[in-house]
Amino acid sequence: MSNAVVIDEGQLAKIAAKVDKGVRITAEDARWLWKNASDAQLCSMASAVRGRFVAPGACTYMVMRIVNYTNVCVAQCDYCAFYKLPGASGGYVLSHEDVFAKLDELLTLGGDLAAFNGGFNPQLPLSYYCDLFASIRARYGDSIEFYALTIAEFLYLADHAKLSLPEAAERLKAAGVRWITGGGSEILTEDFRARHSKFKYTVAEYFLAQRAIIEAGLKTTATMVIGFDETIDERIEHLERTRNFQDVTGGLASFLCWTFKPYFTQIGGIEITTAEYLRHLALSRIYLDNIPRIRTSVLTQNERALDGLRYGADDFDLPIEDEVTQKAGATINLDFERILNYARQLGYSPEYRHVAGTPVES
């Protein structure tokens, strides 16, 4: 027993020394940390990496709204409680005026960032999106910024319009789009996609699309969702793919991880604990040594997400709506001051991060 402890302590010291010196950890190191390191040890190493990008007590936040412009989707992912198949009762597409009303309310609540997320709606041509985004840019200028679509939706639109990925990216850019986020990644392994989203695009296609977005001069992000049935090896593969992609492109402005909400979904299951989420957040911060901003998810963890600031995160958003996760059990608290006070009680000084009006903001 004592020999095993000595070996463990030696391995911990070896990995901790790597982190302290800024030497990249391996997948094997990450696997060992997940299985053996204590919460306090993960916090310490994640905080060391965090400190290379922000001051110890600093953190930023945004007030934002996810606009679910349609719920019609043919992807049929078994973890989604939101979608309706074409022709099904309850399907909808928002008009421009519907979208404007949501954006006006966002501004009233002090926010300036909207993210669009709907799905694979075969009834909507690319022109619908270009007209919508151009009208938003014309109406609001730089007073609002928007994350137009996810990588997965972008892939579907390009395919549906019979355009190459660069051509589709240029069409959206001409319509005033500046961001297409990393949404639709979930867990980036082919096995995971075969199990749960077989009508979605492959991991290889996902990264091809993201590269085309970056090469078009648009901005993008990395995302991840945990808490399905994925293994620790699949989680690490996701982190490894993300880190490698960032090495090559340098185009990922941030990494956001949130947790799967299983309620009312086909796959079901039991939601993972906040403690597990925080450990994964720390592991992500340690592993993704080339991504400057790690974001913690208030949407799926509520104010407990702010504990993630101690586990390596430095940024979060205060959401006012997201039907996709709300349909699966997420709850939203509009008492923003209460949430911000929790960050202050933890010893952090949250500052609003304006994306709108700052086109070069990352």
Side-chain angles (χ1 to χ4, degrees), residues 100-131:
F100 295 157
K102 288 180 179 290
L103 298 182
D104 290 344
E105 184 183 22
L106 171 65
L107 287 170
T108 299
L109 291 171
D112 60 2
L113 176 67
F116 287 84
N117 184 14
F120 300 173
N121 187 336
Q123 299 163 336
L124 296 181
L126 181 61
S127 59
Y128 164 86
Y129 299 88
C130 292
D131 291 346

Side-chain angles (χ1 to χ4, degrees), residues 65-275:
R65 174 175 222 146
I66 297 179
V67 179
N68 304 115
Y69 59 91
T70 183
N71 64 345
V72 177
C73 183
V74 295
Q76 300 180 61
C77 305
D78 65 8
Y79 45 75
C80 181
F82 173 68
Y83 77 90
K84 300 287 185 181
L85 289 172
S89 175
Y92 69 79
V93 176
L94 296 184
S95 68
H96 286 198
E97 291 306 316
D98 292 332
V99 172
F100 295 157
K102 288 180 179 290
L103 298 182
D104 290 344
E105 184 183 22
L106 171 65
L107 287 170
T108 299
L109 291 171
D112 60 2
L113 176 67
F116 287 84
N117 184 14
F120 300 173
N121 187 336
Q123 299 163 336
L124 296 181
L126 181 61
S127 59
Y128 164 86
Y129 299 88
C130 292
D131 291 346
L132 174 62
F133 298 141
S135 68
I136 292 171
R137 191 62 77 193
R139 181 183 175 99
Y140 297 97
D142 287 338
S143 66
I144 279 182
E145 189 52 87
F146 55 90
Y147 289 172
L149 310 174
T150 63
I151 299 293
E153 290 167 290
F154 171 73
L155 271 162
Y156 181 77
L157 285 180
D159 195 8
H160 197 51
K162 295 181 172 54
L163 294 173
S164 69
L165 295 172
E167 288 171 337
E170 289 297 336
R171 287 277 298 274
L172 290 165
K173 185 177 180 180
V177 169
R178 296 169 181 161
W179 289 85
I180 295 177
T181 66
S185 63
E186 286 81 48
I187 298 292
L188 287 171
T189 74
E190 301 296 4
D191 286 346
F192 177 87
R193 294 173 112 66
R195 294 198 304 273
H196 299 297
S197 52
K198 61 184 179 181
F199 298 120
K200 223 167 188 176
Y201 294 90
T202 67
V203 174
E205 289 167 328
Y206 176 94
F207 281 117
L208 282 174
Q210 196 158 43
R211 184 187 288 267
I213 287 163
I214 292 169
E215 290 176 350
L218 300 175
K219 303 183 187 76
T220 188
T221 64
T223 65
M224 183 176 189
V225 189
I226 63 170
F228 305 94
D229 61 352
E230 76 281 357
T231 64
I232 182 58
D233 287 341
E234 287 185 302
R235 290 185 188 179
I236 293 172
E237 181 179 338
H238 182 115
L239 295 176
E240 176 74 9
R241 288 177 181 274
T242 302
R243 190 169 71 177
N244 290 344
F245 183 79
Q246 181 74 336
D247 279 344
V248 174
T249 67
L252 301 175
S254 64
F255 171 83
L256 169 64
C257 179
W258 66 96
T259 53
F260 168 54
K261 293 289 185 179
Y263 311 102
F264 314 110
T265 65
Q266 180 183 338
I267 185 178
I270 299 173
E271 190 173 356
I272 66 169
T273 64
T274 299

Side-chain angles (χ1 to χ4, degrees), residues 31 309 333 349:
R31 190 176 299 107
L309 299 172
N333 183 355
S349 301

